[in-house]
């Protein structure tokens, strides 16, 4: 409840301006697969790429990595909710 979808430029602007919000990137399951993918954006790096925390389902895997703008925009929906 209270989540809305935004675009990549808005997400990056909110990180730059220091807004306080919850955010998650969600991708539907690829054709023929059961599970999609969720990543948690944590900020921007020095190249202004979105940095995310992610894990891989059914495998002990977690990492922090950069997503370029096309990856965020073309593969994911960006859900946000403002903190009270």
């Amino acid at each position: 409840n209270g989540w809305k979808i935004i675009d990549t430029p808005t997400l990056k602007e909110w990180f730059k301006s220091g807004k306080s919000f919850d955010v998650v990137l969600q991708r539907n399951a690829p054709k023929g697969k059961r599970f999609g993918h969720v990543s948690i954006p944590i900020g921007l790096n020095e190249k202004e790429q979105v940095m995310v925390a992610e894990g891989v389902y059914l495998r002990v895997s977690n990492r922090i990595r950069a997503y370029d703008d096309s990856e965020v925009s073309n593969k994911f929906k960006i859900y946000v909710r403002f903190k009270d």
Side-chain angles (χ1 to χ4, degrees), residues 8-27:
T8 303
T10 302
L11 175 65
K12 292 173 80 169
E13 182 57 40
W14 289 3
F15 275 134
K16 289 179 196 176
S17 68
K19 286 188 185 265
S20 181
F21 57 97
D22 296 324
V23 60
V24 64
L25 302 179
Q26 182 177 336
R27 182 177 73 202

Side-chain angles (χ1 to χ4, degrees), residues 26-57:
Q26 182 177 336
R27 182 177 73 202
N28 292 335
K31 191 170 186 129
K33 302 286 184 175
R34 286 184 51 192
F35 301 102
H37 188 70
V38 172
S39 298
I40 308 300
I42 57 174
L44 302 176
N45 67 10
E46 67 281 349
K47 295 179 182 177
E48 295 194 4
Q49 295 171 306
V50 177
M51 298 297 295
V52 299
E54 64 179 9
V56 178
Y57 182 70

Side-chain angles (χ1 to χ4, degrees), residues 50-77:
V50 177
M51 298 297 295
V52 299
E54 64 179 9
V56 178
Y57 182 70
L58 294 178
R59 187 169 55 189
V60 178
S61 171
N62 52 64
R63 63 184 174 183
I64 307 269
R65 76 174 188 99
Y67 283 5
D68 61 35
D69 287 2
S70 65
E71 187 170 13
V72 176
S73 298
N74 297 327
K75 293 183 179 180
F76 292 91
K77 291 181 182 160

Side-chain angles (χ1 to χ4, degrees), residues 3-6 22-26 77-81:
W3 292 86
K4 71 176 193 171
I5 296 176
I6 62 168
D22 296 324
V23 60
V24 64
L25 302 179
Q26 182 177 336
K77 291 181 182 160
I78 306 168
Y79 291 95
V80 296
R81 179 178 63 188

